[in-house]
Amino acid sequence: MGAGVIKRKSGGARRGRRRGNSAAMSEINVTPFVDVMLVLLIIFMVAAPLLTVGVPVQLPETAAEALPSEQEEPLTITLTADGLIMVQTTETPADQLIGKLRAVAAERENDKIFLRADGAIAYEQVVQIMGALNAAGFRNIGLVTDTGGPRFNGQGG
């Protein structure tokens, strides 16, 4: 992105001062800038879908609206259909869950925890996890569901 040099032919001697044969070109070449921006755009388009939590669960559907998004990636606990407990994408035994959450939460600004449970999981298991989180001092717990469920007002989802 440097300035180029234009060579001028001298048409003869000028009076007084003599100027050099070249002058700085005042135009900016934006082609390299556009090339870099297109490469960055492609990188971000490929990387963005990979930033979501990747534990597959069949979430129950509700009529609730989505919460507004936040700056920090939410701390997510997932209960799979197989009965596994995942903190973000790492499998965690039930007896180590609270200790791991305390260690992770100590380094975070936000205290919100999202609980994702497969629809095939018994309600008792979900409530037991919520109770353990509450007893450990985690009070800001949000349940994650899919939209489009029944509204129970005579209208479909």
Side-chain angles (χ1 to χ4, degrees), residues 2 16 30 36 45 134:
V30 296
V36 169
M45 287 174 54
N134 194 327

Side-chain angles (χ1 to χ4, degrees), residues 47-59 72-80 85-91 108 113-117 144:
L50 302 176
L51 297 177
T52 59
V53 177
V55 180
V57 292
Q58 181 64 37
L59 296 173
E72 188 176 40
E73 181 183 354
L75 181 56
T76 305
I77 299 172
T78 305
L79 304 175
T80 66
I85 300 172
M86 311 288 280
V87 175
Q88 298 298 73
T89 57
T90 306
E91 184 178 342
R108 298 175 56 86
I113 295 177
F114 288 122
L115 181 59
R116 301 172 69 226
V144 179

Side-chain angles (χ1 to χ4, degrees), residues 75 87-88 98-110:
L75 181 56
V87 175
Q88 298 298 73
I98 300 301
K100 188 168 196 169
L101 284 177
R102 283 191 176 135
V104 171
E107 299 185 16
R108 298 175 56 86
E109 295 176 14
N110 194 347

Side-chain angles (χ1 to χ4, degrees), residues 3-155:
V5 176
I6 299 175
K7 302 274 185 183
R8 295 186 183 178
K9 295 180 181 178
S10 63
R14 294 185 179 182
R15 284 190 200 166
R17 301 177 274 156
R18 179 182 165 147
R19 296 185 74 166
N21 288 342
S22 61
M25 188 171 86
S26 62
E27 299 173 2
I28 297 174
N29 187 1
V30 296
T31 304
F33 176 71
V34 171
D35 290 344
V36 169
M37 296 311 292
L38 288 173
V39 168
L40 288 174
L41 176 68
I42 291 170
I43 290 171
F44 286 124
M45 287 174 54
V46 170
L50 302 176
L51 297 177
T52 59
V53 177
V55 180
V57 292
Q58 181 64 37
L59 296 173
E61 294 181 351
T62 64
E65 297 293 324
L67 295 174
S69 64
E70 300 175 8
Q71 300 296 332
E72 188 176 40
E73 181 183 354
L75 181 56
T76 305
I77 299 172
T78 305
L79 304 175
T80 66
D82 302 334
L84 300 176
I85 300 172
M86 311 288 280
V87 175
Q88 298 298 73
T89 57
T90 306
E91 184 178 342
T92 304
D95 59 340
Q96 297 176 7
L97 176 65
I98 300 301
K100 188 168 196 169
L101 284 177
R102 283 191 176 135
V104 171
E107 299 185 16
R108 298 175 56 86
E109 295 176 14
N110 194 347
D111 66 340
K112 181 170 281 229
I113 295 177
F114 288 122
L115 181 59
R116 301 172 69 226
D118 194 286
I121 293 290
Y123 180 66
E124 179 182 13
Q125 291 175 308
V126 177
V127 173
Q128 286 175 352
I129 295 293
M130 287 182 67
L133 293 172
N134 194 327
F138 297 102
R139 305 274 192 269
N140 197 354
I141 304 168
L143 294 175
V144 179
T145 60
D146 280 337
T147 58
R151 296 182 185 271
F152 299 111
N153 63 355
Q155 300 176 12

